[in-house]
Amino acid sequence: MIERKNEVEKRKVTTEDRLLHGGDYNPDQWLSYPDVLKQDVEFMKLAHANTFSIGMFAWAALEPEEGVYDFEWLDEVIERIHSIGGRLILATPSGARPAWMSQKYPEVLRVDSYRRKQLHGARHNHCYSSSYYRKKTQEMNTKLAERYGDHPALLMWHPSNEYGGECHCELCQANFRTWLKEKYNHSLDELNHSWWGPFWSHTITDWEQIESPSPIGENAVHGMNLDWRRFVSHMTIDFYKNEIEPLRKITPDIPISANFMSDNPEFVPFTGLDYSQFAKEVDVISWDAYPAWHNDWEDTPTLAARTAFLNDHFYAMKDQPFILMESTPSAVNWHDVNKAKRPGMHLLSALQMHAHGSDSNLYFQWRKSRGSSEKFHGAVIDHDQSTENRVFKEVAELGKIMENISDKVTGYRRQADVAILFDVESNWALDDAQGFGLKTKQYGRTLQKHYQAFWEEDIAVDVISKEHDFSKYTLLVVPMLYLMSEETAEKLQTFVKNGGTLVTSYISGIVDESDLTHLGGWLKPLKETFGMEPLETDTYYPSDRNTLDFNGKEYEVKDYATIIEVNEANVLGTYTEDFYKGTPALTENPYGKGKAYYIGARAEHAFHADFYGKLIRDLKLEPALSVEHERGVSVQGREAEGLRTVFIMNFTESEQPISILETVKDVQTGETMEGKRTLQPYEVLIVEKEIGN
Ligand code: GAL
């Protein structure tokens, strides 16, 4: 087992000692309502709110005409927030443009993949190549940094909003070609080899023939599609770096974030950009979380586990606390059905964020808009302008609790012995693959299913990328890593050789980093590490079933089953049906100082629970606190300097008996406790325990 340090230092990601509570504040929508602006500040105090992100969509208010700036309204708003001891996350407004700009400089407008120039409107749709837009964002950000850089309320920068999307204009085409020339050493032969050019006579003979993927043009060259996704990430990050240049220069001590997101409404890791690369450029990771609580297709514990997974993904990106930049205190306006959070859910879902590494609970938005598309999106202040409604009261109650627990949470770290690998490049390639089941690949969802088995046992997990250091983990779970370079395969082999336990699954190690299949069967490092080789992947119709026989129990298999040839590996499980009945479905191979497991089939949840349960026991993995409970209660902790703060959360709609097997102290009341208790529906208990060396 890998030794873990008991004494971890706090890692405060901002200069603020408190947990941050507040959110997106859009006073520019209310400038002709002075009473509303005054009321906002009064209500901020009542909500126990202390931090506001301002200005993400305020370009039209800040620069109403080209070169004519108006910062006075913002000065006033900032002073008001400062006067109540509030802090400021200052946004740059590039997420949406003023109309005058699109009218005068149409190059800022995107061209879509059908090569249609977009009209002015909506948001998050500027061209990342436009030199005018790049110059203007720098100008604007210079002014913001010069004016507010020394303001004592300024806590952090929030450049733009939810970077994403792509542009296919001529400027972007030219940049794509330049990027490709650099990548392929100016060699079309190299490019044609990677893109498998001769297929359908798609050999490129002049760089100018290259056009970004399009439904009305090239879309079948998978290597190109993959490069395009990489290029879009590169361009976005490059735009971001350009945007933040003045901020870095003028305010070197103010941390810079960028609000990341999930793929919605599926609520799986975001695949629009490669966040593992983007994360390197930001100081503080922040994200916008909108789980559909109380939906009618999954139970609350399942959604809680998926939310936890995403949090652990954002925590692991920089191995430090993150900021929850947006969430809703009630309902959103863009799910198919926008259901109100039931009483208690706001508190529970917000505290879950802290349990998994967030140092904030920030909302979109502070006050509900009066008009336009988000007027029914949940907010702290509703159209009734009251502090007496249920939502406001629950927000204020959370604010008080956050104040009480702040010094036992802020900057506290998470410690995980288990990692699950998410690779966005593999996700891109797998989704593009014309094969397997077109609707059943579900990479992100599959990772969340593996994760859930650990969540149910209260075992902390980091959701990492292939670039992370694997050596600090005892167990590494790598399901469905379709795209696997030789380098990654060797890294996995080294991990096992040195004592790690590795699990992979069906549809792994099939193509290389250019989306070309590996020749000669599975990669050598994988064959050696796993002592077996996948021979064939069988894909099932939705009604097809098989069974995996493991440890005397039978588990339902659907969607995928791999036919396996075993060399040195031990067979732990077999198929019970079909022409491969009785052949291996699950293998284990002791290799070097570690072990490697291969799961050949997509099995039901009970299999994950039993299989990972056994690994958890074999590897002596421990939760943050020993608590006996039924499914639906989750125990997660954060620690620093010898103290661990643990959140015991009831994600069910019923009372839950629990038994705490260690002596702990209630963080809020100071009461010492151990043994049996009952958690009310959605109740959270926050306790602390000292951890020795
Ligand atoms: C986010 C966005 C916010 C707001 C919110 C509504 O994606 O950043 O500006 O639109 O969604 O849920």
Side-chain angles (χ1 to χ4, degrees), residues 57 123 161-162 259 288 290 326 332 334 364 374 377:
F57 298 117
R123 60 172 178 174
N161 194 60
E162 293 186 340
N259 54 336
D288 303 342
Y290 294 106
E326 290 181 25
V332 296
W334 49 264
F364 176 86
E374 291 185 325
H377 191 288

Side-chain angles (χ1 to χ4, degrees), residues 26-270:
N26 295 302
D28 42 308
Q29 292 176 23
W30 298 94
L31 294 180
S32 56
Y33 295 69
D35 293 347
V36 162
L37 296 177
K38 277 196 203 120
Q39 187 187 58
D40 279 334
V41 188
E42 288 313 307
F43 284 11
M44 284 171 186
K45 289 190 271 183
L46 298 175
H48 295 258
N50 57 32
T51 302
F52 292 90
S53 21
I54 307 182
M56 57 284 296
F57 298 117
W59 203 324
L62 293 171
E63 192 182 359
E65 283 173 48
E66 187 175 13
V68 177
Y69 293 91
D70 179 3
F71 291 102
E72 276 167 29
W73 64 270
L74 185 54
D75 295 347
E76 255 177 60
V77 169
I78 292 176
E79 282 323 313
R80 282 211 178 109
I81 289 175
H82 183 48
S83 73
I84 56 162
R87 303 300 301 268
L88 179 69
I89 298 178
L90 192 53
T92 68
S94 70
R97 295 171 307 280
W100 60 256
M101 193 187 288
S102 307
Q103 187 180 29
K104 189 157 174 204
Y105 303 95
E107 74 166 44
V108 301
L109 299 169
R110 277 185 192 168
V111 170
D112 74 7
S113 61
Y114 288 88
R115 309 307 190 252
R116 294 176 301 208
K117 181 93 175 161
Q118 303 297 285
L119 304 178
H120 177 78
R123 60 172 178 174
H124 302 163
N125 51 13
H126 52 274
C127 167
Y128 288 130
S129 296
S130 158
S131 48
Y132 174 78
Y133 206 58
R134 286 175 169 238
K135 180 177 82 102
K136 269 318 265 187
T137 47
Q138 281 213 350
E139 253 171 47
M140 172 58 81
N141 298 356
T142 303
K143 288 198 185 302
L144 288 168
E146 283 173 351
R147 194 168 185 106
Y148 303 110
D150 290 333
H151 199 289
L154 181 63
L155 188 61
M156 192 161 75
W157 289 108
H158 176 311
S160 203
N161 194 60
E162 293 186 340
Y163 289 92
E166 57 193 52
C167 173
H168 297 256
C169 74
E170 279 312 318
L171 299 170
C172 288
Q173 302 292 348
N175 281 333
F176 183 39
R177 290 179 201 121
T178 307
W179 183 85
L180 289 169
K181 281 183 193 158
E182 217 164 286
K183 174 166 182 191
Y184 292 106
N185 305 309
H186 292 260
S187 157
L188 280 176
D189 285 347
E190 272 190 40
L191 175 135
N192 280 318
H193 179 258
S194 276
W195 289 6
W196 210 241
F199 175 76
W200 288 351
S201 223
H202 285 196
T203 305
I204 303 283
T205 53
D206 180 340
W207 293 96
E208 291 303 308
Q209 293 161 0
I210 299 173
E211 280 269 345
S212 58
S214 166
I216 54 165
E218 190 62 275
N219 51 45
V221 176
H222 289 180
M224 174 168 118
N225 292 347
L226 192 56
D227 275 342
W228 171 250
R229 296 253 54 87
R230 289 178 174 131
F231 166 76
V232 168
S233 274
H234 158 82
M235 254 346 260
T236 311
I237 296 169
D238 191 67
F239 181 89
Y240 170 81
K241 280 160 68 177
N242 177 78
E243 255 223 75
I244 65 170
E245 213 176 277
L247 311 179
R248 281 255 183 267
K249 206 158 97 202
I250 303 167
T251 60
D253 298 329
I254 303 293
I256 307 179
S257 189
N259 54 336
F260 290 173
M261 50 188 157
S262 51
D263 261 357
N264 292 321
E266 295 80 10
F267 207 52
V268 293
F270 184 63

Side-chain angles (χ1 to χ4, degrees), residues 256-327:
I256 307 179
S257 189
N259 54 336
F260 290 173
M261 50 188 157
S262 51
D263 261 357
N264 292 321
E266 295 80 10
F267 207 52
V268 293
F270 184 63
T271 52
L273 297 172
D274 186 347
Y275 278 163
S276 71
Q277 301 308 312
F278 205 154
K280 293 176 185 166
E281 307 299 332
V282 311
D283 300 323
V284 181
I285 301 288
S286 60
W287 83 288
D288 303 342
Y290 294 106
W293 295 112
H294 323 292
N295 65 53
D296 67 353
W297 64 89
E298 65 194 334
D299 63 9
T300 307
T302 303
L303 180 55
R306 299 201 303 120
T307 310
F309 171 93
L310 288 166
N311 279 326
D312 294 351
H313 176 43
F314 290 112
Y315 184 91
M317 277 183 191
K318 289 186 101 70
D319 189 22
Q320 67 180 30
F322 59 87
I323 297 297
L324 178 72
M325 192 65 92
E326 290 181 25
S327 60

